[in-house]
Amino acid sequence: MKNFDNLTQPEILALAISLEEEDERIYADFAEGLRQDFPASAAVFDGMRLQESGHRRRLIELYRQKFGEHIPLIRRQDVKGFVQRRPVWLMRPLGLDVVRNQASANEVETRRFYEKAAARAQDASIRQLLDDLAQEERTHEDRAQELKETELRPDVRRDEERARRRLFVLQIVQPGLAGLMDGSVSTLAPVFAAAFATRNPWDAFLVGIAASLGAGISMGFAEALSDDGSLTGRGHPWVRGLICGAMTALGGVGHTLPFLLPNFRLALTVAIVVVLVELGVITWIRHRYMDTPTVSAAMQVALGGALVFATGVLIGSS
């Protein structure tokens, strides 16, 4: 890597051209990634792409005038001082907040580059162009806001908020809820069967931990391998698997931890209270995000939990 202070004027212009081309392509990828679910925001990034394209053309024209037709390939990773960018534009589907934050960071870094480059430029025309581009990058965020206000009418914003909620439910809530329900309900039988069979809190704790972690691993892999999210829009499979597996383990561990108490009756009472809290949380999530009526959600969850709990008690007491 080369120090920025050691770059020549042709190299500075060549690097500026490379930066503008990279940002232009990034914004094009942002627009394409958002087009299906957030078409209005995609139009915003289309506008930002056109602005970066205009910057690149002005830089190329000046380079030709000063240094000829050949432009050396100098990239940001060849020069010290640039921040390593995460390739968020490769993720599908893209999130609005992620890409807008990344775009803002790109603009700040590019502006600082132009300010520093202009201070080192000795040629008046090169310094003027770099100063102009620094000023334009400084106001780029304001122009992006103007684009938002033009493109994102109130009804469009409501549509995008609904799309954002839909993606949140698909990618986070559904796998998390599936895991929480499985962990909270399916582990009831082995935990309470062990508790009533042995009357030993530590034995019940060991069975509960084993069942919770085993169920978490199983559910995590099952969710991750169910589909790759390319057609369903459910997001990255391993992210869903991690969420589902973690919530499955958490759901089982919740009513297992009380059996660390040495007193069996106290541990059993606390565990039952925790189970009721878990079922209440599941009911609230189903009502809040899945639009299930509260009474219906409560009855469904309570019935399933009661049946599994009764199964565990009957087996453990036999």
Side-chain angles (χ1 to χ4, degrees):
M1 298 177 68
K2 193 171 184 178
N3 288 322
F4 179 81
D5 291 337
N6 295 331
L7 294 179
T8 64
Q9 287 193 112
E11 290 173 338
I12 288 176
L13 281 183
L15 177 58
I17 292 169
S18 177
L19 291 176
E20 293 293 352
E21 182 177 8
E22 180 179 348
D23 285 347
E24 178 186 352
R25 298 183 67 177
I26 288 173
Y27 293 148
D29 287 337
F30 282 171
E32 188 61 28
L34 294 172
R35 204 173 306 283
Q36 179 177 354
D37 296 303
F38 308 105
S41 289
V44 171
F45 285 104
D46 280 330
M48 296 174 69
R49 176 185 62 81
L50 292 175
Q51 292 175 340
E52 301 299 345
S53 178
H55 292 175
R56 179 172 57 86
R57 285 195 299 269
R58 290 159 62 186
L59 288 164
I60 291 175
E61 290 172 3
L62 182 61
Y63 189 97
R64 283 174 174 167
Q65 294 173 12
K66 297 293 182 180
F67 308 111
E69 292 293 326
H70 174 69
I71 302 176
L73 177 60
I74 303 178
R75 302 162 299 180
R76 63 195 322 277
Q77 57 264 37
D78 302 326
V79 180
K80 293 181 180 179
F82 286 97
V83 177
Q84 184 66 32
R85 294 178 178 176
R86 295 174 56 242
V88 296
W89 51 92
L90 298 180
M91 299 171 58
R92 293 293 185 273
L94 290 174
L96 283 176
D97 293 335
V98 173
V99 297
R100 285 174 178 165
N101 290 338
Q102 182 65 58
S104 178
N106 291 356
E107 292 160 13
V108 169
E109 185 180 47
T110 304
R111 172 178 59 81
R112 290 176 177 172
F113 162 75
Y114 281 132
E115 290 173 345
K116 188 173 181 181
R120 293 191 62 245
Q122 299 175 351
D123 185 282
S125 57
I126 294 178
R127 174 176 294 215
Q128 180 178 353
L129 177 58
L130 295 177
D131 277 333
D132 290 344
L133 292 178
Q135 181 61 35
E136 290 178 21
E137 292 294 339
R138 188 179 293 109
T139 60
H140 203 157
E141 187 173 351
D142 295 334
R143 292 200 304 275
Q145 183 62 39
E146 293 172 2
L147 281 172
K148 289 181 187 178
E149 293 172 355
T150 302
E151 298 290 344
L152 303 187
R153 303 184 307 274
D155 57 330
V156 175
R157 292 181 183 178
R158 286 193 295 270
D159 290 341
E160 292 204 351
E161 284 301 320
R162 283 195 291 268
R164 191 205 299 256
R165 176 186 170 89
R166 182 177 67 252
L167 291 176
F168 177 71
V169 170
L170 282 174
Q171 298 169 18
I172 305 297
V173 176
Q174 282 190 354
L177 179 61
L180 185 61
M181 291 180 65
D182 184 85
S184 298
V185 176
S186 68
T187 57
L188 289 177
V191 171
F192 285 96
F196 280 93
T198 64
R199 300 281 171 171
N200 187 324
W202 180 248
D203 291 341
F205 174 78
L206 293 179
V207 171
I209 287 294
S212 300
L213 297 181
I217 295 171
S218 176
M219 285 290 290
F221 274 98
E223 178 64 34
L225 298 176
S226 61
D227 68 77
D228 63 5
S230 59
L231 297 178
T232 60
R234 299 177 65 216
H236 197 284
W238 292 108
V239 173
R240 296 196 326 268
L242 179 62
I243 293 171
C244 185
M247 294 305 293
T248 301
L250 180 63
V253 168
H255 51 256
T256 297
L257 290 178
F259 288 101
L260 286 173
L261 297 172
N263 185 286
F264 174 74
R265 290 187 178 277
L266 177 60
L268 184 63
T269 301
V270 175
I272 292 174
V273 172
V274 172
V275 169
L276 295 177
V277 172
E278 291 171 348
L279 297 181
V281 171
I282 293 173
T283 299
W284 179 83
I285 294 175
R286 284 173 55 84
H287 171 69
R288 176 68 174 81
Y289 293 102
M290 312 303 291
D291 297 325
T292 305
T294 304
V295 176
S296 176
M299 291 182 63
Q300 294 170 7
V301 173
L303 178 61
L307 290 175
V308 177
F309 177 79
T311 300
V313 172
L314 290 174
I315 293 176
S317 302
S318 60

